[in-house]
Amino acid sequence: MKKTLLSISFFLAFCLLAKAQERIPKVEELLGKMTLEEKIGQLNLLTPGGGVATGAVVSKNVEDKIKAGNVGGLFGVSGPDKIRIAQEYAVNDTRLGIPLLIGSDVIHGYKTTFPIPLGSAASWDMDMLEKSAQIAAKEATADGINWNFSPMVDIARDPRWGRIAEGAGEDPYLGSRIAEAYVKGYQGTDLTQPQTMLATVKHFALYGAAEGGRDYNSVDMSRVKMFNEYLPPYKAAVDAGVASVMSSFNDVDGVPASGNKWLLTDLLRDRWNFDGFVVSDYTSVNEMIAHGLGDLQEVSALSINAGLDMDMVGEGFLTTLKKSVEEGTVSEETITIACRRILEAKYKLGLFDDPYKYLDNKRPDADILSEENRAFAREVAKHSFVLLKKHNNVLPLKKNAKIALVGPLADSRENMLGTWAPTGDVSLAVTIKEGFKNVAPDAQVTYSKGANITNDTILAKNVNVFGERVSISKDSPDALLKSALNAANAADVVVAVIGEATEMTGEAASRTTLKIDESQKKMLRELVKTGKPVVAVLMSGRPLNISEEMDMPISILQVWHPGVEAGNAIADVLFGDYNPSGKLTVSWPRSVGQIPVYYSMKNTGRPSSQKEFEKFKSRYLDMPNSPLLPFGYGLSYTTFEYGKVTASADSMTENGSITIKTTVTNTGNYDGEEVVQLYLHDKVRSITPPMKELKGFQKISLKKGESKEVTFEITAEDLKFYNSQLDFVAEPGEFEFAVGGSSDAEMAGSFTLE
């Protein structure tokens, strides 16, 4: 027994020695010279203001704090000249000359703004998303920024939550692939290259499941649900090598994420082997006081002991950790470990070799908002649009048509970029009115606002915190409507651009209703009464309840908030230069009363057939359980036909594989792209299985009349899930499979895992 214990001790010592040998000599040398105060200073992240703050606090006396060695990084500052000044303070005016990290929220592009992430996700094109992140990194680093607070990968199934706009939707598999694409795009393969930057996966964890869809609210769920449905995208980002993780505002198992040791150490580091650093969200350490966890010194100690490395803006670490060390509630070794992680990130960026490597004054003009970058943003936007409904072949529009272009968003430059575009320039956005002129100069376009986004002055005030996004006209609603109807009556076709202002979604933009405002609904109803063909261009940052609009005799194109090239991209699609191929990445409800509604829900012991009302079944009295529009849904100007779906074998072993295939044919009159989706259903499990799960997808291009065979290879790894002991296992049994153009695809067969 003693011999066994000695062997174990030797093994552990060997592991610790190996880990120590992996340490970076430059960093270890520096740590050996640092005082406790200097180490604590590296854990402090400040903002001098000037950008979009997401809290009430803006850092004070930043210059003095940098010179005193009390700052490890800055955000909210950009431009080589400005950053050089701050970096010179850190390098030249401090004892050890440690350079600063320079962070920023580059959420969907830097100056070249891409569609909001929920929109870009609808492209289902991983190569395109990775390239968009590469362009964002190239532009941001040209402006001196080396650390990005993106990607946000929170699974979101409640569209009342405004930050659903920033993520990839409801599905852990798709969300994981998108997380990987963004991390690879931002970081590349070599972080020492000046066109790459540190990525930050956020918000760790479960932020998208806030109760009531209300931002910053509490989250409570089982570990099984966490591991199977909410944690996979974070883990995918970690496995892809993400450099940093941002803790979330919410609590997890009753402990706020920024002070949650199970989350930040047991799970993230010990189980997932994450070796980067963890930064808090904006003042989230301080906010633990309001959560009820103690005073600033107590919550700061709790956070660093839990595994948080850097304190964003709140300065709790800076002002209390030394006292906590003196009192014995925090060890200096804990602070040293956190400091090491920050220094290692700076080393990986090459900042110790050249603190000014990102400060090339020639780069901004060459790399930012280039024609090439804008052209690619236009491509991403086109691929993000989802055709929700087509009526009487009105689309695509003729380029010589007489068009009434109406609606409060048709000529609204300030609403094109979308929420969380603090680095974008609204003045450079292309409006839809301008896009029509650029793409179809021979069309006769008459513009009329037609309605306000909302007539509610209180709502408008709440939305307009960062500038006017909702403009209420001096003209009366009746006068606006009359103008639109006059334009419609004189036109061949009406294009009505309706939906949400940009800041109706995003952070601190939760809503209790998902309907388009009544001011716009009234306009749309009256336009339909004219008898003219109507196309609704729907702009939003979340799924909306458009049950009424789907029943109208109109076509509907969902365009999200498309970014700097919005108008050109929308016109490209409406006039047929590109055939829409986007697919929804989140289910659209019939009513807020259904929320949450998502495709991978579980059956109950009393499942409803949904065909007719049955008492004592799991369903509503007043509407079906099903969403209005399912996950994966999206139409095209052409049509696609799926052939028989088959499996290469009836069974497979744990080390084997099965190929599932089908043939897809373009049966319409236009060339087009289709996202072919594979779903599986585990019929019998040790824990209740979802009704179906996305396990693969391919985006294919088909010319009219063309057919292609699409194959998916399934291995036991694709069949794994976390059981009640949180072991990742594949259990033997029968699995059904379906392939189609949305999550409504019907099961076509089954195979057995032996």
Side-chain angles (χ1 to χ4, degrees):
M1 180 67 178
K2 187 178 291 186
K3 186 175 182 181
T4 302
L5 289 173
L6 286 171
S7 299
I8 293 172
S9 298
F10 177 79
F11 175 74
L12 291 173
F14 176 80
C15 290
L16 289 171
L17 178 62
K19 192 171 184 65
Q21 289 174 339
E22 292 172 7
R23 291 176 181 167
I24 300 166
K26 171 74 175 177
V27 170
E28 296 308 305
E29 179 185 354
L30 194 54
L31 281 169
K33 299 176 181 178
M34 295 176 75
T35 65
L36 174 62
E37 290 86 352
E38 287 169 329
K39 292 174 185 177
I40 292 171
Q42 287 299 302
L43 315 185
N44 191 31
L45 176 63
L46 300 184
T47 178
V52 175
T54 60
V57 179
V58 175
S59 307
K60 298 177 181 178
N61 304 318
V62 173
E63 178 182 331
D64 293 339
K65 288 171 182 172
I66 295 173
K67 291 179 178 180
N70 290 333
V71 182
L74 293 178
F75 71 101
V77 58
S78 63
D81 292 337
K82 291 181 181 179
I83 293 173
R84 182 176 291 275
I85 293 170
Q87 202 68 284
E88 285 178 346
Y89 289 150
V91 174
N92 299 328
D93 294 348
T94 64
R95 187 175 75 91
L96 295 174
I98 300 172
L100 300 168
L101 290 173
I102 305 295
S104 183
D105 285 289
V106 185
I107 307 302
H108 48 110
Y110 186 61
K111 295 295 185 183
T112 301
T113 312
F114 296 97
I116 58 170
L118 187 62
S120 292
S123 71
W124 294 60
D125 191 321
M126 301 305 105
D127 291 338
M128 182 170 281
L129 297 185
E130 183 176 340
K131 185 176 178 181
S132 72
Q134 288 174 345
I135 290 173
K138 183 177 182 180
E139 291 196 350
T141 55
D143 234 1
I145 296 160
N146 51 45
W147 178 23
N148 187 12
F149 306 143
S150 175
M152 191 198 95
V153 303
D154 302 320
I155 295 296
R157 293 169 172 177
D158 190 337
R160 295 173 298 179
W161 189 56
R163 300 196 80 167
I164 195 171
E166 293 179 52
E170 72 183 45
D171 184 66
Y173 179 86
L174 178 61
S176 296
R177 304 292 79 76
I178 291 175
E180 293 165 350
Y182 279 126
V183 170
K184 291 175 183 177
Y186 292 135
Q187 295 190 171
T189 57
D190 183 359
L191 278 171
T192 64
Q193 295 301 307
Q195 294 182 343
T196 64
M197 63 197 310
L198 304 176
T200 305
V201 66
K202 65 183 188 184
H203 305 85
F204 195 62
L206 319 180
Y207 188 31
E211 289 182 353
R214 181 158 51 84
D215 217 347
Y216 317 119
N217 206 4
S218 184
V219 173
D220 192 16
M221 69 172 65
S222 69
R223 295 275 172 99
V224 165
K225 193 175 187 73
M226 286 184 206
F227 275 74
N228 284 306
E229 301 177 43
Y230 281 82
L231 294 178
Y234 307 112
K235 185 176 187 300
V238 169
D239 290 344
V242 74
S244 63
V245 169
M246 183 181 290
S247 62
S248 56
F249 288 113
N250 57 277
D251 57 348
V252 176
D253 276 352
V255 181
S258 295
N260 192 309
K261 186 176 185 295
W262 174 80
L263 191 68
L264 302 184
T265 296
D266 298 351
L267 176 64
L268 182 61
R269 296 196 182 279
D270 296 346
R271 182 162 182 152
W272 290 357
N273 299 314
F274 174 66
D275 63 357
F277 69 97
V278 181
V279 61
S280 76
D281 207 335
Y282 204 113
T283 66
S284 67
V285 173
N286 309 59
E287 291 166 26
M288 290 168 61
I289 300 170
H291 274 284
L293 273 292
D295 62 21
L296 185 59
Q297 183 179 349
E298 289 172 316
V299 298
S300 297
L302 179 66
S303 294
I304 197 161
N305 286 332
L308 189 76
D309 302 307
M310 191 174 237
D311 177 12
M312 183 187 288
V313 178
E315 301 189 30
F317 282 10
L318 184 69
T319 58
T320 72
L321 285 186
K322 183 180 179 182
K323 185 179 180 183
S324 293
V325 171
E326 292 169 349
E327 294 176 352
T329 56
V330 174
S331 70
E332 183 169 352
E333 177 61 18
T334 297
I335 292 171
T336 300
I337 291 170
C339 182
R340 177 183 289 117
R341 292 167 181 158
I342 305 301
L343 297 179
E344 286 177 344
K346 295 178 179 183
Y347 178 87
K348 290 173 184 177
L349 285 171
L351 291 176
F352 288 116
D353 294 328
D354 182 4
Y356 310 109
K357 61 179 288 190
Y358 292 95
L359 307 180
D360 182 348
N361 284 303
K362 297 176 183 178
R363 283 192 61 194
D365 287 341
D367 291 348
I368 295 175
L369 274 169
S370 66
E371 289 186 13
E372 180 184 3
N373 290 356
R374 290 193 68 140
F376 188 71
R378 186 170 176 171
E379 285 299 306
V380 177
K382 289 188 294 190
H383 284 74
S384 74
F385 302 158
V386 184
L387 184 59
L388 302 181
K389 185 182 179 186
K390 50 185 180 179
H391 181 74
N392 284 351
N393 296 317
V394 174
L395 291 174
L397 302 174
K398 294 180 174 60
K399 289 191 176 181
N400 61 355
K402 187 182 290 186
I403 300 169
L405 177 62
V406 304
L409 293 161
D411 191 30
S412 179
R413 199 178 311 280
E414 62 273 13
N415 281 301
M416 296 301 102
L417 298 189
T419 185
W420 259 121
T423 56
D425 186 343
V426 168
S427 70
L428 300 177
V430 180
T431 69
I432 300 171
K433 181 181 174 183
E434 291 168 341
F436 273 40
K437 183 178 180 180
N438 295 338
V439 173
D442 294 332
Q444 300 175 54
V445 180
T446 301
Y447 163 74
S448 174
K449 183 174 181 178
N452 297 311
I453 293 175
T454 180
N455 295 328
D456 184 337
T457 56
I458 295 176
L459 176 59
K461 180 181 178 182
N462 293 343
V463 170
N464 291 341
V465 171
F466 295 133
E468 190 173 72
R469 300 294 185 264
V470 175
S471 173
I472 297 181
S473 175
K474 294 179 181 178
D475 295 334
S476 69
D478 288 343
L480 292 175
L481 179 57
K482 183 178 180 181
S483 173
L485 294 177
N486 287 340
N489 285 320
D492 300 326
V493 62
V494 179
V495 176
V497 189
I498 57 176
E500 294 185 309
T502 59
E503 299 310 318
M504 284 179 167
T505 50
E507 186 167 357
S510 300
R511 303 195 67 187
T512 60
T513 179
L514 301 177
K515 291 184 178 180
I516 299 166
D517 197 272
E518 184 60 28
S519 60
Q520 299 178 72
K521 280 180 169 287
K522 181 178 179 181
M523 179 191 71
L524 195 59
R525 293 183 197 115
E526 294 303 314
L527 289 170
V528 169
K529 289 179 183 177
T530 66
K532 297 300 177 76
V534 175
V535 176
V537 175
L538 185 57
M539 192 172 287
S540 73
R542 55 161 54 87
L544 296 174
N545 174 9
I546 56 169
S547 298
E548 179 184 357
E549 290 75 16
M550 286 293 287
D551 285 339
M552 292 180 178
I554 62 175
S555 300
I556 305 175
L557 180 70
Q558 169 67 16
V559 299
W560 317 103
H561 291 109
V564 69
E565 286 288 319
N568 288 332
I570 290 169
D572 284 338
V573 171
L574 290 177
F575 288 103
D577 290 347
Y578 178 75
N579 186 352
S581 62
K583 299 278 190 175
L584 299 178
T585 63
V586 61
S587 305
W588 285 41
R590 301 173 189 270
S591 164
V592 291
Q594 288 182 304
I595 295 170
V597 58
Y598 50 98
Y599 84 92
S600 59
M601 298 182 93
K602 299 179 179 182
N603 252 332
T604 72
R606 295 187 177 187
S608 172
S609 68
Q610 295 294 299
K611 294 178 181 178
E612 59 183 29
F613 179 76
E614 302 169 273
K615 195 68 171 174
F616 306 116
K617 296 290 186 178
S618 180
R619 61 159 297 155
Y620 301 104
L621 287 172
D622 52 351
M623 68 176 53
N625 293 354
S626 61
L628 179 70
L629 298 170
F631 174 87
Y633 172 87
L635 304 177
S636 167
Y637 294 154
T638 192
T639 52
F640 298 100
E641 183 177 287
Y642 283 74
K644 186 177 181 181
V645 182
T646 60
S648 58
D650 294 330
S651 64
M652 61 180 279
T653 63
E654 188 174 350
N655 297 319
S657 66
I658 277 182
T659 299
I660 294 173
K661 66 180 180 179
T662 189
T663 298
V664 183
T665 303
N666 183 341
T667 56
N669 297 320
Y670 299 90
D671 299 345
E673 295 168 284
E674 172 72 341
V675 179
V676 184
Q677 303 159 45
L678 168 69
Y679 295 90
L680 297 182
H681 172 228
D682 190 347
K683 292 191 71 175
V684 178
R685 232 184 220 188
S686 58
I687 61 171
T688 52
M691 286 188 274
K692 59 178 62 173
E693 295 176 276
L694 180 71
K695 288 296 182 179
F697 59 89
Q698 295 181 37
K699 192 164 190 176
I700 62 172
S701 179
L702 293 172
K703 296 186 179 301
K704 62 178 182 179
E706 184 182 5
S707 297
K708 281 186 180 178
E709 185 177 80
V710 180
T711 62
F712 298 94
E713 184 180 16
I714 299 297
T715 68
E717 195 68 22
D718 299 303
L719 309 180
K720 287 185 176 181
F721 67 97
Y722 290 93
N723 64 18
S724 56
Q725 285 75 46
L726 301 184
D727 296 322
F728 195 48
V729 299
E731 295 177 345
E734 184 180 0
F735 293 81
E736 295 179 308
F737 56 82
V739 177
S742 80
S743 58
D744 275 355
E746 295 184 0
M747 294 298 170
S750 66
F751 62 88
T752 301
L753 175 66
E754 297 177 345

